[in-house]
Amino acid sequence: MENQDKIICSELFQKQRKVEVVLYPAVLAWKEIEKSSKRSSGTSESEHSQTVKVCEIVAVHKTEDEADAQARSHPKKINQPSQQYPYAFTVSYVRRTRQHLWCCADVTFHCADQQICEQWIQVANEQLSLLTNRPKNLLVYINPYGGKRRGERIYEQKVAPVFRRAGIFTDVIVTERANHARDHLKTEANLDDYDGVVCVGGDGMFSEILHGLVTRIQTDHGVDQNQPDAELVPCSLRIGIIPAGSTDCICFATQGTNDPVTSALHIVVGDSQPMDVCSVHHNGVFLKYSVSLLGYGFYGDVLTDSERNRWLGPARYDLSGFKTFLSHNYYGGTVSFLPADDNVGHPRDKLQCRSGCRICQHKHSSKDEHDEASEEKEKAAEDSDRGWSVIHGKFIAINSASMSCACPRSPKGLSPFAHLADGTTDLILVRKCSRLDFFRHLLRHTNNDDQFDHWFVEVHRVRKFRFQPGHPDLAPLEDASEHPESPDLSPISSLQETYDDRTAESSWNCDGEILHHTAIQVSVQCQLIRLFARGIEEQQDAEVAV
Ligand SMILES: CCCCCCCCCCCCC/C=C/[C@@H](O)[C@H](COP(=O)(O)O)NC(=O)CCCCC
Ligand SMILES: Nc1ncnc2c1ncn2[C@@H]1O[C@H](COP(=O)(O)OP(=O)(O)O)[C@@H](O)[C@H]1O
Ligand SMILES: [Ca+2]
């Protein structure tokens, strides 16, 4: 860096070592100045600078620790270098540890001159105030019953101290019933008072916040959510997620870890990650929004069963997953879908959505350029069923993943190459197959094998889809148990006695909530919301060069 880039530069003390500290517009750097007998000047610079990006500084504060106070009140006792420099300031900043985990680290610089110390604090804070994307006022909702019921504790012990340090003001509401947060956002909350909303809970709680916010914005702008083709108004408030639920896949898939401190730091630095939202309708009536999984069959049945065992906490999904696997139900129906454009890739193209993803960025700019005429044309084509594909069949699972849906149970997710903000969802059809085959498919969610590489699985990247339950009389699929490649495990007859595949219906798991209708129409709303996140970082992003 050039000399003229320096905003302030001083020789200070850090841990009793003399360091040169420089604040550049984008970076804070410090390096040790060693005593050296080899040089006439008596000092030499050590090889390595330590650096912190200014945009990842949480706060710069005057340090009031005991040693400094003592040094000021008993100047005669001074014998340590740090005590000769009794004024100090502390820089709190983001430090990456491992696996996308962030922590808040502190570095304290000491100096002899009070004025220099105060100048540093003032100048550094002026630089921080130029970062206009940082939130100052947040509305926080805590679900005290999510996950292992630790929401309040997690917030008080791990998150609130980070917000306090960063000087963020918060209004905190601990919910008293289901849909408390949704209803408060819909009708009561004064959204103009806040720069963002924070959700402490799981995917179900996130879904509440999403519905409250999106519905409020549409109502304020006179948009009718019941119109499947309505142009929805994007939310200007960002949403932060503090993971305190059971699956927490929205948090995991957008920052790579389920750690409350990491989430708090993404909020403090003002990250912004656009995200697609699926709108779900039934016969022209709005049902729900979804950002992660819309799952019929296996995941719908797991969720329905798990609700009965909520007291088990996150383990309820393991029990229900096992029971549902043994039941081995399949459901008839017709899936129709409108494939996405080729430029957004394919669910098996191995292009992972990462921080600053080019595919999502390209989608954003082409969305801006889209003129009204081409939009009209597109709509007409969609309405006339031109370009739609139709599949009848018997399915063990129909999953729509608008993002990877990675979570600790499945670190690469249901659709590892799905994108957060490309305006599409990956539609995964798992046809009727043997129990052993389905087990192999599930197992591949936990290892590096391709879970789509099975004869009974197909996956499509789509912009819209529809589902109609019912026995597929028109074009029944051959019975998979007769398929030569699918040796079945012995049937578990007691579990299947009452099961009639002509009439049976499952339900939809919509981000952890059960939908009350099975016939649905789904449309992806490109980048409707933004999170306080940045997508999963590539490992080299962690290094900073000066
Ligand atoms: C042989 C071992 C097979 C293990 C296969 C595991 C596959 C797991 C894929 C999980 C995808 C999760 C998608 C996210 C769903 C959440 O929205 C939903 C609600 O979350 P929360 O509100 O935090 O509770 N979670 C689920 O539906 C749980 C699915 C668990 C399935 C075993
Ligand atoms: N105070 C409350 N009492 C009961 N249920 C609540 C409360 N606040 C939120 N909920 C509901 O709890 C459900 C599960 O919440 P979530 O935080 O996702 O936990 P989990 O991940 O364990 O399912 C959501 O459907 C949400 O609407
Ligand atoms: Ca998507």
Side-chain angles (χ1 to χ4, degrees):
M1 292 228 182
E2 298 297 320
N3 261 352
Q4 59 264 34
D5 282 332
K6 292 178 182 174
I7 295 171
I8 183 169
C9 171
S10 309
E11 287 190 4
L12 306 171
F13 263 90
Q14 189 232 343
K15 288 191 181 157
Q16 306 185 6
R17 286 191 305 258
K18 198 171 183 189
V19 287
E20 183 194 52
V21 190
V22 188
L23 181 64
Y24 298 98
V27 173
L28 172 74
W30 64 97
K31 61 183 165 194
E32 191 173 349
I33 305 166
E34 288 166 358
K35 287 224 160 53
S36 160
S37 52
K38 288 179 201 153
R39 296 202 177 188
S40 53
S41 70
T43 60
S44 71
E45 289 179 351
S46 66
E47 291 276 300
H48 300 292
S49 264
Q50 278 184 274
T51 58
V52 172
K53 288 180 184 169
V54 169
C55 61
E56 292 182 0
I57 292 178
V58 172
V60 180
H61 283 302
K62 188 173 172 188
T63 315
E64 269 300 351
D65 70 17
E66 263 176 39
D68 297 330
Q70 223 178 20
R72 281 198 293 271
S73 51
H74 305 285
K76 283 183 193 156
K77 289 188 184 170
I78 292 171
N79 49 18
Q80 295 287 319
S82 68
Q83 286 169 324
Q84 292 164 16
Y85 300 90
Y87 300 98
F89 63 94
T90 298
V91 179
S92 305
Y93 63 97
V94 169
R95 184 193 284 157
R96 289 165 177 78
T97 53
R98 65 196 155 82
Q99 298 281 345
H100 312 292
L101 273 181
W102 287 11
C103 71
C104 188
D106 284 341
V107 55
T108 297
F109 298 107
H110 298 258
C111 56
D113 186 328
Q114 184 173 8
Q115 246 185 338
I116 291 182
C117 182
E118 281 169 4
Q119 193 189 1
W120 262 96
I121 297 168
Q122 187 193 337
V123 169
N125 277 300
E126 276 166 13
Q127 288 305 111
L128 293 184
S129 67
L130 299 176
L131 304 169
T132 49
N133 54 344
R134 294 191 169 198
K136 294 184 178 64
N137 297 287
L138 294 170
L139 176 56
V140 180
Y141 293 99
I142 305 176
N143 176 2
Y145 297 111
K148 294 181 180 158
R149 302 183 173 215
R150 292 187 189 149
E152 280 179 280
R153 211 177 339 148
I154 287 173
Y155 183 76
E156 283 310 326
Q157 293 181 355
K158 301 196 163 176
V159 178
V162 179
F163 287 171
R164 269 197 294 274
R165 188 170 304 186
I168 293 176
F169 298 100
T170 51
D171 283 330
V172 179
I173 296 177
V174 180
T175 60
E176 289 163 10
R177 58 176 172 84
N179 292 326
H180 180 171
R182 184 199 65 184
D183 297 345
H184 186 256
L185 277 167
K186 256 191 196 174
T187 52
E188 277 177 59
N190 189 355
L191 300 185
D192 294 338
D193 290 349
Y194 304 104
D195 307 305
V197 177
V198 175
C199 162
V200 185
D203 295 335
M205 185 62 184
F206 178 87
S207 175
E208 271 201 36
I209 308 282
L210 168 76
H211 284 83
L213 257 187
V214 174
T215 303
R216 172 71 173 272
I217 307 280
Q218 308 320 309
T219 312
D220 288 354
H221 288 83
V223 176
D224 180 4
Q225 297 180 101
N226 285 320
Q227 300 298 323
D229 289 329
E231 177 92 3
L232 298 180
V233 178
C235 293
S236 51
L237 289 187
R238 281 165 286 171
I239 309 175
I241 310 176
I242 307 296
S246 299
T247 312
D248 297 319
C249 103
I250 303 166
C251 182
F252 195 94
T254 53
Q255 68 181 27
T257 181
N258 281 343
D259 171 57
V261 172
T262 305
S263 291
L265 289 167
H266 280 288
I267 296 170
V268 165
V269 302
D271 275 343
S272 182
Q273 172 64 53
M275 231 170 47
D276 296 338
V277 176
C278 286
S279 57
V280 186
H281 288 78
H282 168 79
N283 289 343
V285 176
F286 170 72
L287 294 182
K288 279 263 181 194
Y289 293 115
S290 160
V291 294
S292 57
L293 166 70
L294 257 170
Y296 184 80
F298 184 72
Y299 290 102
D301 293 352
V302 170
L303 187 68
T304 305
D305 187 75
S306 71
E307 283 301 305
R308 291 190 270 271
N309 295 312
R310 227 172 210 290
W311 58 273
L312 274 175
R316 70 190 186 280
Y317 290 134
D318 300 319
L319 176 67
S320 299
F322 185 61
K323 278 168 71 183
T324 307
F325 169 75
L326 290 183
S327 302
H328 199 57
N329 290 337
Y330 56 90
Y331 303 94
T334 302
V335 184
S336 326
F337 60 87
L338 188 66
D341 301 338
D342 290 341
N343 60 9
V344 287
H346 185 272
R348 295 178 71 181
D349 62 11
K350 297 203 162 27
L351 296 174
Q352 286 184 311
C353 187
R354 288 290 176 261
S355 207
C357 172
R358 288 224 189 106
I359 289 173
C360 296
Q361 276 175 1
H362 173 262
K363 189 66 200 178
H364 181 65
S365 44
S366 63
K367 193 184 167 201
D368 289 347
E369 286 161 13
H370 227 57
D371 59 78
E372 268 178 34
S374 57
E375 226 166 69
E376 288 292 311
K377 251 198 223 162
E378 250 175 37
K379 270 197 183 139
E382 286 165 14
D383 293 344
S384 70
D385 281 0
R386 241 184 304 136
W388 283 73
S389 303
V390 180
I391 296 176
H392 307 279
K394 296 174 186 173
F395 305 98
I396 290 183
I398 296 169
N399 301 323
S400 151
S402 303
M403 55 166 72
S404 70
C405 293
C407 59
R409 274 190 184 80
S410 171
K412 59 180 184 163
L414 282 179
S415 194
F417 310 110
H419 290 268
L420 291 168
D422 64 344
T424 75
T425 183
D426 287 355
L427 185 61
I428 306 158
L429 307 178
V430 184
R431 295 174 193 260
K432 182 185 169 195
C433 62
S434 70
R435 201 177 272 114
L436 178 61
D437 273 345
F438 186 53
F439 179 74
R440 285 186 181 130
H441 168 66
L442 282 182
L443 197 60
R444 288 186 181 186
H445 290 77
T446 63
N447 60 32
N448 280 330
D449 294 341
D450 179 357
Q451 64 256 46
F452 304 134
D453 189 16
H454 292 291
W455 65 266
F456 54 90
V457 179
E458 60 186 281
V459 58
H460 306 271
R461 189 155 284 174
V462 311
R463 283 193 289 138
K464 297 182 177 205
F465 72 93
R466 300 178 196 137
F467 176 70
Q468 183 65 45
H471 198 70
D473 285 322
L474 286 171
L477 214 81
E478 74 274 32
D479 197 320
S481 53
E482 291 152 20
H483 197 283
E485 294 173 51
S486 60
D488 204 350
L489 293 179
S490 57
I492 299 185
S493 51
S494 62
L495 285 165
Q496 294 218 284
E497 259 164 19
T498 54
Y499 184 76
D500 175 357
D501 77 307
R502 293 186 66 90
T503 55
E505 282 190 15
S506 174
S507 31
W508 284 95
N509 173 340
C510 176
D511 293 353
E513 305 290 304
I514 294 164
L515 291 186
H516 298 297
H517 292 276
T518 45
I520 58 170
Q521 300 88 48
V522 179
S523 175
V524 187
Q525 311 288 326
C526 187
Q527 307 191 0
L528 188 64
I529 58 165
R530 285 183 303 145
L531 298 188
F532 284 112
R534 59 173 64 173
I536 297 176
E537 287 185 306
E538 303 284 3
Q539 291 304 326
Q540 67 265 28
D541 282 9
E543 285 155 27
V544 186
V546 179

